[in-house]
Amino acid sequence: MKIICIGRNYTEHIAELENEKPEEPVIFLKPDTAILLKKQPFFIPDFSEDVHYEVEVLVKIKKVGKHIQPRFAHKYYDEIGLGIDFTARDLQKKLKEKALPWEKAKAFDGAAVIGEKWMSKKSFQDINNINFSLLKNEESVQQGNTSHMLWKIDELIAYVSEYFTLKIGDVIFTGTPAGVGKVETNDRLTGFLEKEKMFSINIK
C-alpha cells in the first residue's frame, strides 16, 4: 500500500506557514515504513529539533482505480479515519529553501500515524462536513471541519488518480487545518473524529 498526502488544503494552515495558495492540490508520498506501529510511542528523530504534529482526516481506498471521474469517486472508499502527518519542520524549511524534495522531513520512520480504527462513511450525514480535532496534553490545539477543504475528498481522489493508480488499502491524508505545532518529549496527542476517539499516542 502507499500513503498519499495532500498539502496546503486548508486556507488558514497555508497562511500560518506563509505559503502560497496552490492552484491545484499539492501531493507527496510516504512509504509504508513511515507508519507508526500500533501501540508504539512516537520517537522524536535525532535529525530534527522541531517536529510538528498535523492532524488529518484519512480515506482508505477499497478498489483499484485510474482516471476516476469526480462523480464516481465515492465508489472507491467506504471508510474514514484520522491520523497525524509528523513533519520535521526545520529540515523541511532547509529543503524548501534549496528547492529540494520534502521526503526526508515528511516520510521518515514513524512519521505517519494511522488511527486505531476506521469509521464507515455511512456514520456521517455528510463527509464534507465532518468535525475533527487534536488534543495535546488534554488541551485542544487543532480543530477542523472537512467543509473547509479547498479540494473535497471526492475531488482529491479524482485528481490523485490522474497520476497514480489507486489500489486497495492505499490511504489518502487529506490535509491539515491551522494550529500545527511542535511536539516535546512526554507529550500525549489524542485525536477525535466528531466525538469518537481515534488514537492516543505518547511522544518520546
Side-chain angles (χ1 to χ4, degrees), residues 73-179:
H74 68 279
K75 298 177 179 289
Y76 289 81
Y77 65 100
D78 284 333
E79 295 177 295
I80 305 294
L82 194 72
I84 295 178
D85 164 23
F86 279 117
T87 305
R89 193 73 70 200
D90 46 359
L91 180 55
Q92 184 190 38
K93 183 174 184 291
K94 292 176 183 177
L95 293 167
K96 287 169 68 175
E97 287 172 350
K98 297 179 181 178
L100 295 172
W102 300 351
E103 275 75 8
K104 287 193 292 185
K106 286 277 194 180
F108 56 87
D109 290 355
V113 173
I114 294 176
E116 299 166 6
K117 55 188 171 182
W118 293 85
M119 296 178 65
S120 168
K121 68 181 180 184
K122 294 179 182 177
S123 303
F124 308 100
Q125 290 185 343
D126 182 0
I127 61 163
N128 294 319
N129 187 21
I130 300 174
N131 292 303
F132 60 103
S133 60
L134 183 71
L135 303 184
K136 177 182 175 185
N137 305 327
E138 306 303 321
E139 293 187 11
S140 178
V141 288
Q142 283 191 277
Q143 294 186 0
N145 185 289
T146 53
S147 66
H148 298 150
M149 289 180 175
L150 297 179
W151 291 277
K152 303 298 189 275
I153 289 173
D154 288 359
E155 294 173 311
L156 292 175
I157 288 173
Y159 183 81
V160 168
S161 74
E162 292 181 29
Y163 299 90
F164 308 105
T165 297
L166 293 174
K167 303 181 84 171
I168 297 169
D170 286 352
V171 175
I172 298 178
F173 279 59
T174 60
T176 194

Side-chain angles (χ1 to χ4, degrees), residues 61-66 68 76 165-168:
I61 300 300
K62 72 169 186 176
K63 65 177 184 176
V64 176
K66 178 71 174 174
I68 300 165
Y76 289 81
T165 297
L166 293 174
K167 303 181 84 171
I168 297 169

